[in-house]
Amino acid sequence: MPRLAYVNGRIVPLAQASVSIEDRAYLFADGIYEVASIFGGALFDWPLHLERMARSLNELQIRAPMSDAALRIAAERLIRKSGVSTGMLYLQITRGAARRDHAFPDARTPPGLSMIARPFDFSRRVPEQQVGMTAITAADQRWSRRDIKSVALLPNVIAKQAGKEAGAYETIMIDPDGTVTEGSSTTVWVVDRDGTIVTRPLSHAVLPGLKRRRLIGLLEDAGETVAERSYDVAALKDAAEVFVTSTSSPVMPIVSIGGEAVGDGTPGPASLTACRLMWEEIERQTGWTPRAGSPGGD
């Protein structure tokens, strides 16, 4: 399988891909990104990614490098040439390359666009979902505009590394007032003792996760009670169930936090329902399922 990258209009071998040392993403983390899942060669929920990307660009006053239609053509061409059937597409847009100066460069400076498609075995998530994963908590040290999908991810990196060193799947971040925000790379959900499925309301404090957006609709259509409200670390640890969502883990039950069991220490019914609903939606959109021999399966 060729390792390729799209860089500012050209598809090149990954080892030869490069951007200017004056690109503002390198100098100032002045850019945004998206990560979309690929199932059977098809992009999942791509219109939602375009919508969120446009919002992030608008918030940072970065011009879109091309039209949505042209971007889709470029992304699908890269996926096809890379030979990726099931995996992820990473897309990054920056303010472009210009002499180092904190203020924005001339408006005529072209934005930078790069993309990489790489394989990822989503089918491995199924056995992981059946047993669940672990998490720890850590202080949320990020900036105040977490709703923008910025490439400035150093606090997330530090939190993820802390989880890795603790042998945990995810690090759940806590604001100074004790409010749960989100995971280092996931949206966090809790299930109350009364069975209500709860996740944080959208604000500048959290990223508008696309799996979050999709799953709220799926759960409500299935008759589940969903509430968008803030909750603190005490409620997190007292929850009957906890699960997280993200591009690489569409839904993942969390069965212990900081070494303490969540509920009875196994994935609960609401978490497993969420897993099932997401796989069904992926199949509906793309025809892919994690079952062996399914269309587009690896």
Side-chain angles (χ1 to χ4, degrees):
M1 183 176 296
R3 301 292 307 282
L4 302 174
Y6 176 102
V7 182
N8 296 327
R10 299 174 59 232
I11 294 178
V12 297
L14 187 62
Q16 297 175 21
S18 63
V19 296
S20 170
I21 197 170
E22 290 190 306
D23 189 287
R24 288 179 62 92
Y26 176 74
L27 297 175
F28 299 112
D30 190 359
I32 63 100
Y33 74 102
E34 284 288 332
V35 184
S37 46
I38 305 164
F39 295 100
L43 286 159
F44 178 70
D45 267 344
W46 182 244
L48 301 187
H49 285 281
L50 290 176
E51 183 181 320
R52 184 172 63 179
M53 182 190 74
R55 180 185 182 279
S56 293
L57 290 173
N58 183 66
E59 291 296 310
L60 295 182
Q61 301 177 53
I62 298 176
R63 285 192 294 119
M66 59 181 66
S67 70
D68 287 352
L71 182 59
R72 178 158 202 155
I73 291 171
E76 290 179 341
R77 181 166 174 257
L78 174 65
I79 292 167
R80 186 172 60 254
K81 284 184 169 291
S82 297
V84 175
S85 173
T86 302
M88 289 184 283
L89 175 75
Y90 177 84
L91 177 155
Q92 180 169 294
I93 300 173
T94 80
R95 203 178 302 277
R99 181 180 64 84
R100 189 182 189 280
D101 187 354
H102 284 68
F104 295 170
D106 187 287
R108 293 170 294 180
T109 301
L113 169 62
S114 58
M115 294 185 283
I116 300 172
R118 64 180 178 89
F120 185 84
D121 181 14
F122 283 97
S123 63
R124 80 187 208 202
R125 294 305 188 202
V126 175
E128 293 172 344
Q129 290 171 335
Q130 299 307 307
V131 297
M133 295 292 195
T134 64
I136 63 169
T137 60
D140 196 333
Q141 304 179 66
R142 297 172 297 163
W143 73 321
S144 61
R145 291 304 307 274
R146 304 160 188 167
D147 56 308
I148 300 171
K149 202 166 176 66
S150 162
V151 296
L153 292 174
L154 185 57
N156 302 67
V157 169
I158 292 170
K160 183 68 79 173
Q161 180 64 22
K164 181 178 180 180
E165 291 175 1
Y169 178 77
E170 180 58 300
T171 300
I172 297 173
M173 297 184 286
I174 314 296
D175 263 347
D177 66 357
T179 302
V180 175
T181 52
E182 53 198 341
S184 64
S185 62
T186 61
T187 297
V188 181
W189 307 64
V190 299
V191 182
D192 282 354
R193 297 291 176 173
D194 65 2
T196 300
I197 302 170
V198 181
T199 194
R200 280 286 303 268
L202 296 182
S203 69
H204 287 178
V206 296
L207 181 76
L210 298 186
K211 291 296 187 295
R212 172 196 182 279
R213 177 173 170 179
R214 176 60 65 188
L215 186 58
I216 287 175
L218 295 174
L219 289 167
E220 290 178 338
D221 288 347
E224 300 287 342
T225 302
V226 181
E228 297 178 68
R229 64 170 184 259
S230 298
Y231 56 92
D232 61 18
V233 69
L236 172 73
K237 294 186 176 180
D238 187 53
E241 302 177 46
V242 176
F243 61 89
V244 298
T245 54
S246 70
T247 298
S248 61
S249 298
V251 180
M252 184 58 64
I254 298 297
V255 295
S256 75
I257 299 174
E260 298 181 10
V262 174
D264 66 2
T266 64
S271 300
L272 294 176
T273 294
C275 293
R276 175 180 59 81
L277 291 173
M278 189 62 76
W279 288 127
E280 289 174 353
E281 177 63 15
I282 289 168
E283 182 177 10
R284 187 191 71 79
Q285 285 194 34
T286 68
W288 187 92
T289 81
R291 297 187 296 273
S294 59
D298 290 335

